[in-house]
Amino acid sequence: MNDVHPPAAKIGYGGDYNPEQWPREVWDRDYEAFSLAHVDTVTVGVFAWAHLQPAEDRYDFSTLDAIVERATAEGKRIVQATPSGAMPPWLAHAYPEACRVDFEGRRHVYGQRHNACPSSPAFRRLSVAMASRLAERYGDNPAIVAWHVGNEYGGACYCPLCAAAFREWLRKRYGGLERLNAAWNTTFWSHTFTDWAQVEPPTVLSEHWRGPDHTAFQGITLDYRRFTSDALLGGFVAEKAAIREHVPRTPVTTNFMGLYQPVDYHRWAPHLDFASWDNYPPEDPSASRTAARMALAHGLVRGLRGGAPFWVMEQTPSVTASRDVNAVKRPGVLRLWSWQSVAHGADAVLYFQLRQSRGACEKYHGAVLDHAGRTDTRLFREVAELGREFELVGDAVLGARTPARVALLVDWDSWWAVEMSDGPNRNVRYVDVLAAYHRALWQANALVDVVPVTADLGRYDVVVAPLLHVVKGDLADRVAEVVLRGGTFLTTALSGRVDEDDNAFLADVPGPFAGLLGLRVEETDAQRPDVVNPVVLSGTAHEARHVFEVVVPEDAEVLATYGADFYAGTPAVTRVRRGAGSAWYVATLLDDGGVGAVVDGVLAEHGLAGPLADVPDVEVVERVAPNGTRYAFVLNHGAEQVVTCPFDGVDLLTGRELRSGDDVVLPRTAALVVRCR
Amino acid sequence: MNDVHPPAAKIGYGGDYNPEQWPREVWDRDYEAFSLAHVDTVTVGVFAWAHLQPAEDRYDFSTLDAIVERATAEGKRIVQATPSGAMPPWLAHAYPEACRVDFEGRRHVYGQRHNACPSSPAFRRLSVAMASRLAERYGDNPAIVAWHVGNEYGGACYCPLCAAAFREWLRKRYGGLERLNAAWNTTFWSHTFTDWAQVEPPTVLSEHWRGPDHTAFQGITLDYRRFTSDALLGGFVAEKAAIREHVPRTPVTTNFMGLYQPVDYHRWAPHLDFASWDNYPPEDPSASRTAARMALAHGLVRGLRGGAPFWVMEQTPSVTASRDVNAVKRPGVLRLWSWQSVAHGADAVLYFQLRQSRGACEKYHGAVLDHAGRTDTRLFREVAELGREFELVGDAVLGARTPARVALLVDWDSWWAVEMSDGPNRNVRYVDVLAAYHRALWQANALVDVVPVTADLGRYDVVVAPLLHVVKGDLADRVAEVVLRGGTFLTTALSGRVDEDDNAFLADVPGPFAGLLGLRVEETDAQRPDVVNPVVLSGTAHEARHVFEVVVPEDAEVLATYGADFYAGTPAVTRVRRGAGSAWYVATLLDDGGVGAVVDGVLAEHGLAGPLADVPDVEVVERVAPNGTRYAFVLNHGAEQVVTCPFDGVDLLTGRELRSGDDVVLPRTAALVVRCR
Amino acid sequence: MNDVHPPAAKIGYGGDYNPEQWPREVWDRDYEAFSLAHVDTVTVGVFAWAHLQPAEDRYDFSTLDAIVERATAEGKRIVQATPSGAMPPWLAHAYPEACRVDFEGRRHVYGQRHNACPSSPAFRRLSVAMASRLAERYGDNPAIVAWHVGNEYGGACYCPLCAAAFREWLRKRYGGLERLNAAWNTTFWSHTFTDWAQVEPPTVLSEHWRGPDHTAFQGITLDYRRFTSDALLGGFVAEKAAIREHVPRTPVTTNFMGLYQPVDYHRWAPHLDFASWDNYPPEDPSASRTAARMALAHGLVRGLRGGAPFWVMEQTPSVTASRDVNAVKRPGVLRLWSWQSVAHGADAVLYFQLRQSRGACEKYHGAVLDHAGRTDTRLFREVAELGREFELVGDAVLGARTPARVALLVDWDSWWAVEMSDGPNRNVRYVDVLAAYHRALWQANALVDVVPVTADLGRYDVVVAPLLHVVKGDLADRVAEVVLRGGTFLTTALSGRVDEDDNAFLADVPGPFAGLLGLRVEETDAQRPDVVNPVVLSGTAHEARHVFEVVVPEDAEVLATYGADFYAGTPAVTRVRRGAGSAWYVATLLDDGGVGAVVDGVLAEHGLAGPLADVPDVEVVERVAPNGTRYAFVLNHGAEQVVTCPFDGVDLLTGRELRSGDDVVLPRTAALVVRCR
C-alpha cells in the first residue's frame, strides 16, 4: 500500500467546523477561541450539500468560498469534505429511488442522513459531480491538507436497484449459477436457483426469520453483507476518482467507525490514502475496559494501512447526545484519551465539533464552544491545555510506527458468520471474545497489531485468532509457517468451522487447524449464560461459559480440563509443540482471568509482555519515529499510583527526566510522553 | 373562557349505555337496576354509527329514537354522543383513505376504532353530516343535557392527505420556507427545504431512527405533534359547529384522557364548553401514588377551563380489560375515588359502562350490570350505595371552585421536547418528574391548580415548573413578576433550554431563567438509573439520579450540594431572593423525599401547606361553592387511622358534626364531605 | 376413524435422508453406517422439489429414482415425502402471489420454507401435480411404507387471496351476515358488516393493536385461526387425494409439532391415516418437566387418532440449531427419550437427520453422521446401541394401546380464546396450566389420554379440563353424564366463560358448568406474577397466582380457601357430589404442589394413581398389545435410585427377570421395557 499523508508539523488539532450554520459575526468569535485552544485544523463542508447546490441545476459556492478563504487566511489546515453523507431534500424528492429500502422492505423517504441507496445512478451521478466541482474549485488551495469523502459510511439498502446490483456482483463472484448454488448449498430446502432473477436480497421478507442475524441461508446473507460493503465503497471510489481528476496528490480519506460490523474496512483499506476514524467508545462503567476497547479500535484502524499512522477524525470534547444516557467526560479524561490516540498511532486528534449545533438531534452533543460560546468553562480549559501540549510536542512522534511482534487477527467474514450462525449459541458475540483476548494483551502492555487474515504474518512471533470461524485461502498454511519457524499460534472454540462460503469443512473440527493443533472436537455443547464450567489453569480456577467443545486430543498436551458436566476431565485448553513453535487451543469461552492466563502463557514463550505488565490500569505503548527515536506513552486509566519507571528518558509534556527504576507518581488520568534514551 | 355547564340538581351519576346491543326486554331490566343504583344520567350513541347509518345513503334513527324516548320517559338526563369515534365498515370500504397510515408507513384497513384520518375529506363530511342530523333530530329534547363529540381523540396519521395538510399548517405557521428552515435549523445535516412538497411527515421512514421519540429533527417532529393535535381538533370543531346550527345552547364536550401525551389539551380547551375526562389511573402498587396521580389528572382537566368544574365521563366500577393484568377495585375504593373526583372539581361521575358487553375486547371490562345481570353482587351494592350518597349531597357542591394559590405548570411542548431530545438522558420522563413535584404538593395537602404556561399567574403565590424545557413567549417575564411581587418560583434541571422551535438559547443555561435564578449551568452530566448522587437538604440525605447539572452560582444561595463525583460540593439546590420573592432551582432529579423537602420549603414561604399535611395517605381538598360555603373532602387512601379534625363542620354523608381538634377515626377508604363552618 | 398403519416387524428406526445433497460416493458410506446403526427406515424427498422439477415445464426424477432404488435394494423401508414444504425459487418468481402476506401486511418474496400461501391456486396446482407424479411413479414400490405430505404445516397468510377464501369460509360457516354480526358481536364499536367484502383479515393493519393475541374483535381473530388451520389442511387433503389416485392403500401422514398453537390438529386428525410428530421439547432446565412435557405431546398426538400408535417422525440425535442456545443431549438421554416415545405409543422413532447438512441454517443441527462422517463418536455409538435395542424388542409392542381411564381435555378454541382475551390477565398461558395439570397426573404415573372436547368420554373415570374457556356443543351435558354415572370432573378458573363465538354466557360464571359445580363466580381478580395468595389444601399451604375468582358456593363443599386479600376465607377449591360422582373446581391458578394435591385427590376417588407414584422422576407407562400382553416401561429421568419393583415380568432389553417387591436399581437415564406377567 502506498500511503499518502497530510503534511504536518505537529499533531493535528481541531475538528468539524460548520460556520455556514452561523452568522458571520460568530466566525470572528470562533477564530478567537481557536487561537486560545491551539486549533490548527478545521474540517469543512461535511453537511453542506443543500447550500452548495440548492437545486439540481444550481450551485452556490459563495459561502464555502468565504469559509475556506477565512480558514486559509487564519493559517488553518483545512480538511475539505464532500457532502455526500447527507443529501439535500430536493434530491430525494426528485429521485425517490435514491432513498433506501430497509431490511423490512420499506421504501424510505427524505430524512436523516447516511441514507442514500448505494446503487442509485442519480445519487451516484450527483454526488460525484459535487465532488468533482469541489475538487476543481478548491483543489489547488495548499491549505487543504486532506479530502474527506462522505461521512461514516454504513447501513444497507435492499431496493430493486440493489437487488440488480447484487445479482451482478454475484455473477462476477461466481461466474455461473451452478457455483452459486454450491456456495449457498441450495439443495437444502429446495433453494436451487435456475435464473439470476430469482435471487432476492436477504431480508425479513425473504430469508430472515427474526432479525439481520437470523437467516435461513447464511451464504446469501454473508454475500449480501460483502456486496453492501462493496456497494458503499463504490460511492467512495467514484468520488475519490472525481477528486483525483483535479487534485493529483492531496490525500483522500473517509472517517471510519472502529469496530463497525456492517462495513468490512479491510475491503476498503486499499482505496484510502490514509485511515481515519471517529472515536466514540461504547459505554462501559470500567475505565480500563473502555481504554482497552479504544486501544483495540486504534489498532484495527492502524492495521488497515499496514501500521501507518492514522487520524482520529472525530471525538467529543465532552458528551455525546445520541445515547440513552450521555455522561460528561470526567476531568482529565479528554487529555488522557487524546494522548492514548497518539500513543496508538494517531497523527491528528480532532473534535466533532468546534461549535455546538443550535437545533436538531446534535444540539446537546458536546463541542469546543457551547451555546453560550464561553471560553471560561472546564471543558474549554481542558481543550486549550491539550492544544498547548500538542504544540509543545511538535512533530516529535509524527509518522512513528508501533514495533509490534504480536498479531491479533480480525476477520469480518468470521464476525458475520459466527453471529448469524444457527447454533451453537446466539450469546456468543465476536467482538466480546476478540476484545477479551485483546484486553489480556493490552493488560500485559504487549504491543499488538490488529490485522486482517490476509496480512503478512512473517514479522510476528505470536498470532492470536479468537473465533476464527471462517478459514479462507491459504491462511491455515501461513499460520502453520508461523508455528514451524518458532512462533506461537492461539485460537479458540468455534474456529476452523467453515470455508469462505460458510459451508462446513467435511473433516474433523477445527478443520484446517485440526492437524496443527493436534486434536479434534467431537461435540460442541452450549449452555445459557448462567451456566459456568470451572476450568483450572496453572492452579487457578476460571469460569468457562456459553460454548464447551468436547476435545479429543491427538498429540496435544492438555493444559486445563473442564471441571463439570459429562465432559469433566476432558481438555479445555491444549498446547502442542510443532516445529520450532507451538499451537494453543482454548476449547471454550473463558472469563477475563482465564483468557489472561492463557495469553500470559503465550507471551511468555517469547518474552513479549511489556513494561509495567503487572500494574493494573496503567497502559504503556511505544512508537518508533522514522529517525529511530523511541517514544513511550504511559497512561494511567485508574486511581493515582506509584510505579517503577521502566525507561530512561524525558517526559516531553513536563520536561521531567525519568530514570529507569525510579518511583514515578502517576496521578489519576496521568499521561506521559517519554522520549526514551 | 365562557363556560356552559349542563343543568344539574345533583352530582351526575350514570354512564355509557348501549341498549342497541341488547334486545328490548333487557332494557326493562336495565331501568329497574338504574333505579336501584340512583343512576340519573345516560350517555348514548357513542358507537352507534353503523346502525344509525347502515349505508352512505341510508339513515335509520328508529333504534336511537326508542332509546332516547325511553331514557326521557324514565326521567334520565341524556348525554348525546356523536358516533365518530368508530366508523362503520362501509365507510372504510368506500373510502380507504379514511383509514390511517401509521408511523411505520403502513396504510391500515378497517378495524378497531379511533382510527380515522383527521385529514380525510370523506370522513370529515360524513361525520359532520351525522352530527348535524343527530342535532337536528334530538337537539330540542330538554332531557339532553350535553353533547359528547367523538370519543377519546388520539393517535396520529401519516398519510399523504395528512402530509398535504401538514404542509398547509406549516405554511400558515411560518409564512415562508426561510422561517421554517430557521425554526428547524435545517442547515444541520443539509436539510434546507426549497419546496414545501419536500417536507415529509416525520416517521420511521423519514426522520425517526428508533421510535416516535427518536428523531433526527426535533423541530419537524414537534410541529407534527402540534399539527396532529390541531388536525384531530378540527374534527371536533367541525362536528360542534354542525351541532350548534341546531342546538344553540346545550354544552358540548368530549372525553379527554388526562395526562395523554399525543394531544395537547391546552390547544383544545378553548373549544369545549366544559371539560370531561375518563379516569383510568395507571397501575401502581401504591394506593397513595395512584390517588396523587388521579388528583394530578383531575387538576389538569380542571385547569383546562380556568378552574371550572368538569365531568368524569368514564370510570370503571370494577375492572379494566385492556391491561395485561386487570385487578378488581377493592371494597370501598370505587366510592373513595368517586368522592375524590368530586373533591377535585367533578360535578358528574359516570361509568363505562352500565351493562357489560357480551363479546369483543371489552367483554371483561367491568360494568354496573354484569353478564348475569345481577344486582346482588358486591359491585352493584357499592355502585348503588354511592348513588345514594350523591343523592344525599344533592346540589351542595355543584359549581364549587378550588381556592388554590399554588400553580403547577404543565406544558405539552416541554413534555414532547424533553422526551424526544437526543441527550442528556432518555430515562427522564416528563410525567414522572411532574408527578413527583405534584405528589409533594399533594402530600402537603396544598391546593394546587395545574395550569398551562399561558395561564394568568397573577393569582398564585407559588409557581412550580418542573422540566420546563421549552420557554415560550413572555413566560420568563411573567414568572419574574410573580417573584418580584413576593411569590416563589421553583424550577428544575433541564428547564430553560430551548425556545418554541426547540432551538437552544444562545446563552447560559437555563436561558431566560438564568438571571432570575442567579446562576448558570456549565455542564450537564447524565448517569444510568443505578447511579445515585447523595444530596443533603436540611440535614437529610436524598438521592439524586439521571441528570446532574453542574451549577455556577452568581448570587444564588446554595441550599444543598452534590455529595459525590467530580462535582461533589457544587450546588444541587439553590434559592435566591429577588424583589419581594424568591426563586428556587433544583439542578438534578431528586427522589420523593428530596422533592418533598424542597416543596415543603417553598410552601413554608407562604404558609400554604394544607390541613393534615403531616398525615400520610390522608388527602384533604377544598371546594368553595358559588355562595361562599366551603366544603372540605377528607379521603383516606391508607389504613385506618385517627386524625385530629382540622375543621368545624358537618359530614354531609353521615350528618355527623365535626369539631376542630377532635379525634376522628378514618377507616380504610374513608371519605368525608364536610360542610365547614 | 379408520387407521391405516405402515407395515412393520419392529419399531421403525432411521430418519430424514437427503442423499441428493451429496455425491454418490457418500451414499456408500451412508449405508455402511446405517447398517452399523440398525437403521431400517429412510424418509426421502422432503425438500426435493427444486431438483425434481427444475422448471414449471420440466421434471427430473433421475436422482430420486436412484435414491429410491438404492434404498429399496438395501432393504430399507421408505417414507416417501412430497416436497411441498419448500417451494423452488422458480415457483415464487413466476407466481409471486404464492408467497405469503404476513401479519404486518407485508408481501414476502422467495425465501425460507413453509411459506406458501394456502389459498394460492398456482401453488395448489403445482404441489398437487407434484404429489400426483410422485405417487404415479413410486406408488407401487412396496418398500414405500408411508407417504409424508408436506412438512410441519404452520404459519398463516393474510393476502387478498386468503381474504377472499376467508370470506367464502365465513359464508359457509354463518350463511348470512346477520349471523356473522351476531357471532362477532359487531354492534360493539360500530362494526356491523353490511357486505362480505368489508371483512378484512385480522392483522396489525386492521383489528390487532399489539400482536397476534391483541385483537379488538376476538370473534374475527378466532375465526381467522380456524380458517387458517382449514386452509392449510386444504393443501394436505388435496395432495393426499392426488396420491390416493395412484396409491390405494399405503398410509399417508404429515409430521405435526405437538403443542403447536397455530394449527388445530383436532381439525386435521380425521384426514390422516396415522399420526406422526417431531419431538423437539422446549428448553427447560428440569429434566422431569421436560419429560412430562414430551409425555403430554405424545399423549396429544396419540389422542388425535383415538389412541392408535403414532410415529415420532423427527427428533435430533444430539443438538438442535435453531435455538438461541443449543445444548447436546447428555449421555443416555437419547435412548431414554426414545424409549419414552415408544412407551407413549410410538411405533417408529426417527431422526432428523441421517447426515448433517453442509451449509445453511441447519448445518449445526445434529445428525447421525456428522461433517466428518465418523462412526466412532459418542453420538454414533448411542444411536447404534439404541438401534440394537429396537431390533432386540422386535414387534413386541407394535400396535399396543394405552389403557387410560383419565382424560385430559385439550381444546384449541379455548387455547386461542383465553390467550387473546382482553382481561383478566395476559400472563395466563394455556399450555402452562394444561401442562401443570398434566404434570400432576404424570407424576402420579396415571395413564392419561389427551383428547379433544368432542371425544367419547364414556370410557373415562376422570375428566380433567383446565382453562376450558370455550364451551361448545353438548360438552356440558356429556361432562355431566360422566359425573352422574360415578366419574369425576375437574375444571379451573376461566372455564365456562364463552360460547363457540367467544361471546360471554349471559349467566353466572362458569356458565354451563355452574350448576354441575354448585357455585357461581362473582368476581375475577387478577394480580401481577409476584403477588401470591396462599391456599391451604389438606393442611399444606400452596401458592396461587395470576387469577383469583371470588366464588359464591351454592351446594359445593369448600376444600380450600384464599388466605389473603379481601376475599380471604372464600373458596379457592371446591367439590360437590352429584349423582354417583363428583365435580371439582379450582378457582385460581395453583403452583405445582397445589395442582398436585388437587389431582391426587381426584385420582384417589378412583384409585387411579399408577405404580411408583410417589417416586420422583421415575415415569411408569403401560401399553397393552393386541394379544393382551401388558408392557410396562420404567424410565428414570432423575439421578440413580433404588425402587421397589411393582410388577412381575422380564425386561426385554436385558432379559432380566423382575419380581414385584424386589429392589431395582435404576441408574440415571435407565429405561426398562418389561413384559409383564
Side-chain angles (χ1 to χ4, degrees), chain A residues 4 12 36 49 73 91 100 107 113 152 169 179 191 230 244 255 305 310-311 391 423 479 487 510 512 529 613 643 664:
Chain A
V4 188
L36 294 174
W49 198 336
L91 199 162
R100 292 183 183 168
R107 168 70 69 187
R113 60 169 183 172
E152 296 184 345
W169 185 93
R179 174 73 191 97
H191 263 51
D230 288 357
R244 274 286 169 265
N255 49 339
R305 304 277 313 159
F310 58 91
W311 281 26
E391 293 231 337
V479 162
V643 300
V664 179

Side-chain angles (χ1 to χ4, degrees), chain B residues 180-374:
Chain B
L180 174 143
N181 281 315
W184 293 355
N185 195 41
T186 56
T187 49
F188 178 73
W189 285 6
S190 191
H191 264 50
T192 310
F193 293 96
T194 54
D195 190 310
W196 293 99
Q198 292 160 3
V199 177
E200 300 281 357
T203 70
V204 75
L205 304 184
S206 59
E207 297 296 356
H208 283 254
W209 50 273
R210 214 155 76 187
D213 278 346
H214 292 76
T215 176
F217 276 78
Q218 279 68 21
I220 302 176
T221 299
L222 195 58
D223 273 343
Y224 206 81
R225 301 242 176 127
R226 290 164 175 153
F227 158 75
T228 292
S229 188
D230 288 358
L232 292 167
L233 173 59
F236 173 86
V237 165
E239 286 195 51
K240 183 178 173 186
I243 292 167
R244 274 287 167 266
E245 285 183 20
H246 304 282
V247 185
R249 265 174 313 270
T250 312
V252 179
T253 190
T254 188
N255 49 339
F256 285 155
M257 288 178 282
L259 287 152
Y260 178 68
Q261 202 203 32
V263 175
D264 183 345
Y265 291 148
H266 291 142
R267 298 175 90 96
W268 281 56
H271 302 275
L272 307 177
D273 293 317
F274 70 103
S276 73
W277 79 292
D278 300 346
N279 182 17
Y280 299 104
E283 294 165 85
D284 189 324
S286 154
S288 268
R289 289 172 60 100
T290 299
R293 187 60 151 70
M294 290 186 293
L296 171 58
H298 287 310
L300 175 80
V301 175
R302 197 182 68 233
L304 293 178
R305 304 277 313 158
F310 58 91
W311 281 27
V312 169
M313 192 64 89
E314 297 183 15
Q315 68 173 343
T316 178
S318 172
V319 290
T320 52
S322 61
R323 301 188 176 166
D324 284 353
V325 176
N326 300 276
V328 300
K329 285 183 176 169
R330 270 49 201 158
V333 166
L334 172 65
R335 175 179 174 270
L336 176 67
W337 290 6
S338 298
W339 277 115
Q340 187 201 29
S341 300
V342 175
H344 284 278
D347 274 2
V349 181
L350 309 182
Y351 296 110
F352 182 87
Q353 61 181 333
L354 296 179
R355 179 174 283 277
Q356 194 167 24
S357 287
R358 186 165 188 200
C361 66
E362 289 183 347
K363 71 174 180 287
Y364 294 135
H365 188 103
V368 169
L369 290 164
D370 65 15
H371 291 134
R374 284 187 175 268

Side-chain angles (χ1 to χ4, degrees), chain A residues 527-535 542-546 548 564 591:
Chain A
Q527 297 290 331
R528 296 245 154 230
D530 56 333
V531 176
V532 170
N533 200 312
V535 167
H542 303 286
E543 298 188 342
R545 275 190 183 77
H546 299 304
F548 311 89
D591 60 8

Side-chain angles (χ1 to χ4, degrees), chain A residues 397-436:
Chain A
V397 301
L398 292 184
R401 297 263 179 159
T402 309
R405 288 166 61 202
V406 178
L408 178 68
L409 301 192
V410 171
D411 180 42
W412 259 263
D413 280 340
S414 289
W415 187 357
W416 290 333
V418 83
E419 294 194 359
M420 77 172 68
S421 177
D422 265 26
N425 194 326
R426 290 277 176 187
N427 296 312
V428 175
R429 307 309 292 172
Y430 180 80
V431 169
D432 289 351
V433 180
L434 180 75

Side-chain angles (χ1 to χ4, degrees), chain A residues 508-510 514 518-522 550-554, chain C residues 374 376-377:
Chain A
D508 288 328
V509 172
L519 53 83
R520 68 182 170 88
V521 173
E522 191 176 296
V550 180
V551 165
V552 179
E554 307 289 341
Chain C
R374 283 187 176 267
D376 62 351
T377 61

